[in-house]
Amino acid sequence: TGNSSALFNESPAQSVVHRAGTAGVVWYGEVDVAVRPDMNGVTTWTVAISDPSYAGGPPAMTQSMTITITVLAVNDAPSFGVVQSSFFSSANDAWLELPFAINMSKGPLNEDAQAFTFVVTQVGGPTKLFSSVEVQHDGSLKAKIGPTLGFEGSGNTTWEVVLKDDGGTARDGGDSSAP
């Protein structure tokens, strides 16, 4: 018996096996569990084995053991979608603000309290075209054009954007979305 309805897909399966050995019959048991996705916590189980009495034999015997199962939390990577690519034309030293990220998710409900931020890295194009590029918490892209420092002020740039949360990477968890 136990209290695993929230943690497990179904009740743990118990099996008891016996095997003949040099000192008589050896008994051992196994408990198999399947944890529900994105669940964690502690549950206890009491496992009992009985040797029923038989006519003229010793009285029935029962042995029980309490097992505590701890399922540790693992951080899920956040995710987001992207609005179609944007093209624009603007004068130097102008701030641009465009819709960019949509459907931002920190992960399952148990990760809702985590903070997240967008990490923006230029991976191609002229490095002096923008003096600042960032993605706001609401998903808007904010970019400042120039100063061009001798650059002609036109061209294409490529940026990598990753959504990162503060949940960490312990136990093979993920704290960063795919770019």
Side-chain angles (χ1 to χ4, degrees):
T1 62
N3 58 355
S4 67
S5 61
L7 286 178
F8 303 117
N9 288 327
E10 56 189 54
S11 294
Q14 303 172 48
S15 61
V16 178
V17 179
H18 70 276
R19 174 176 27 176
T22 56
V25 176
V26 177
W27 294 87
Y28 65 94
E30 296 176 355
V31 177
D32 294 320
V33 296
V35 178
R36 289 184 185 195
D38 302 317
M39 295 300 293
N40 60 80
V42 178
T43 185
T44 56
W45 279 84
T46 301
V47 179
I49 187 167
S50 295
D51 181 14
S53 74
Y54 52 90
M61 294 178 57
T62 299
Q63 288 288 326
S64 63
M65 168 189 271
T66 300
I67 299 170
T68 300
I69 300 172
T70 302
V71 179
L72 300 174
V74 176
N75 188 35
D76 291 287
S79 63
F80 69 99
V82 178
V83 176
Q84 294 179 14
S85 296
S86 298
F87 299 93
F88 56 87
S89 175
S90 181
N92 285 344
D93 294 328
W95 277 98
L96 304 169
E97 193 159 346
L98 305 165
F100 176 75
I102 56 175
N103 302 325
M104 295 166 287
S105 171
K106 297 176 185 179
L109 291 177
N110 65 332
E111 297 181 7
D112 199 43
Q114 292 179 1
F116 69 87
T117 186
F118 286 95
V119 178
V120 181
T121 308
Q122 185 174 1
V123 294
T127 59
K128 297 177 183 176
L129 185 58
F130 295 96
S131 62
S132 175
V133 175
E134 55 191 51
V135 178
Q136 307 293 310
H137 280 321
D138 66 359
S140 62
L141 177 116
K142 192 171 182 180
K144 180 155 177 60
I145 303 235
T148 61
L149 302 174
F151 184 72
E152 295 169 0
S154 65
N156 296 318
T157 60
T158 304
W159 299 83
E160 180 179 274
V161 178
V162 172
L163 183 60
K164 185 173 175 70
D165 67 30
D166 63 355
T169 59
R171 295 177 293 282
D172 293 326
D175 68 353
S176 299
S177 69

